[in-house]
Amino acid sequence: MKYKSIYIFFLFVICTVSFSSCFLRKNDEIIKLEDEGSLDLSPTVKWCIITDSYASLRENPSEDAKILTHCRQGDIFRINSLRIEENTRWYLLYGENNEKKGFIKEDSVKVCDNKYRAESESLSLQKQETQQ
């Protein structure tokens, strides 16, 4: 009889705890996804880092084209398109605010599958440069 009452007591406690947990509500957490990072992991968008010490971004895919701006080793850009001119691959690069930066030759960049990979490669490249 003594064991039966202990068994009933524990059964009562377990049922009470289980039943009361059904009515407990967690605070709803709101997860805010920012639009600006939507391209960072997109499988259709490629990113690149500049591998040359200094590089020129040009108006058109040609060595003779007007230089729009310059960039430095480790800079990260989104690749908008690829053009092949005279057996040379040129990438059209865009900056952080979705502004057109210019064309650059393939041998001046390293292409990455996503922005986070490009950032990691950029840091690695910068560490190598400081060690030399």
Side-chain angles (χ1 to χ4, degrees), residues 3-104:
Y3 294 115
K4 189 175 181 180
S5 61
I6 292 174
Y7 175 74
I8 291 174
F9 174 74
F10 281 118
L11 186 62
F12 174 76
V13 170
I14 291 172
C15 289
T16 304
V17 170
S18 297
F19 186 69
S20 65
S21 66
C22 293
F23 295 103
L24 293 177
R25 287 195 56 150
K26 280 186 164 182
N27 292 339
D28 292 335
E29 292 183 37
I30 297 173
I31 299 173
K32 184 177 179 182
L33 299 176
E34 297 181 19
D35 289 337
E36 65 185 49
S38 63
L39 296 176
D40 293 355
L41 291 172
S42 173
T44 60
V45 176
K46 300 290 183 194
W47 296 81
C48 71
I49 58 170
I50 305 301
T51 56
D52 289 348
S53 296
Y54 295 96
S56 299
L57 297 176
R58 300 181 179 274
E59 187 174 39
N60 296 306
S62 168
E63 290 283 344
D64 299 326
K66 176 184 171 187
I67 296 174
L68 297 176
T69 187
H70 294 88
C71 52
R72 303 177 85 177
Q73 186 178 48
D75 288 349
I76 299 171
F77 295 95
R78 181 173 56 87
I79 297 174
N80 182 273
S81 63
L82 167 69
R83 296 232 337 237
I84 300 175
E85 298 286 330
E86 299 175 9
N87 295 328
T88 304
R89 290 171 165 245
W90 291 82
Y91 293 110
L92 176 58
L93 305 182
Y94 274 62
E96 288 187 22
N97 297 323
N98 206 28
E99 76 274 7
K100 179 181 174 181
K101 289 295 187 176
F103 286 92
I104 192 166

Side-chain angles (χ1 to χ4, degrees), residues 73-75 121-131:
Q73 186 178 48
D75 288 349
E121 293 284 337
S122 177
L123 288 174
S124 175
L125 190 63
Q126 290 171 3
K127 284 180 185 176
Q128 288 176 1
E129 282 298 311
T130 56
Q131 291 175 353

